[in-house]
Amino acid sequence: MAPPGPNERPLSSLPSARARAVAFAAIVVAGLCGALIGYFVVDVQCTGGCGVASGVGAIVGGAMIAGGVAVVAVLTLRAMGEWRKINEADLLGEGDAQPSTRRRKPSA
C-alpha cells in the first residue's frame, strides 16, 4: 500500500475530538451523579456524625458509576471509529466488492 499523498489523509479509527469531549463530559456527569447517590444512600442509613462515612459513600459511588460509564463510552467510541473506518474504506473502493462471495470455512 502506497503512503498517502499530501491531500489524502490516512484511514483512522480514532474518534473525532467532539465525540471524545462528549464522552468525557458524560463520564464526569455520571461520576457526579454517582457521588450524590452514594452520599445520600449512606446519609439516609446513618445516624449521628456520619461525615466520613458519607464522604466514603460519595467517593465509592462516584468511582463505580464513572467507571461503568467510562467502559460504555470507550466501547461506543471504538465502535464509532471502526464504523467510520469501514465506511471510508468502502467509499475509497478498498472494501470487499462482493461480500456475498466471501464464505466461511466450515469448522473441522
Side-chain angles (χ1 to χ4, degrees):
M1 181 174 178
N7 294 333
E8 298 177 16
R9 70 178 176 91
L11 294 178
S12 173
S13 61
L14 184 66
S16 67
R18 187 176 77 173
R20 287 180 281 167
V22 168
F24 179 76
I27 293 168
V28 170
V29 169
L32 291 173
C33 291
L36 285 172
I37 291 169
Y39 176 84
F40 285 114
V41 164
V42 173
D43 191 47
V44 165
Q45 296 176 359
C46 190
T47 59
C50 301
V52 173
S54 295
V56 170
I59 291 171
V60 170
M64 286 179 61
I65 301 298
V69 171
V71 168
V72 172
V74 166
L75 292 174
T76 303
L77 290 174
R78 290 179 107 185
M80 284 175 45
E82 289 182 22
W83 181 267
R84 184 176 51 163
K85 183 178 177 183
I86 290 169
N87 284 340
E88 287 177 357
D90 287 344
L91 288 174
L92 295 174
E94 297 172 0
D96 190 8
Q98 296 174 347
S100 61
T101 62
R102 191 175 70 211
R103 301 275 186 236
R104 278 186 29 182
K105 292 183 180 179
S107 58

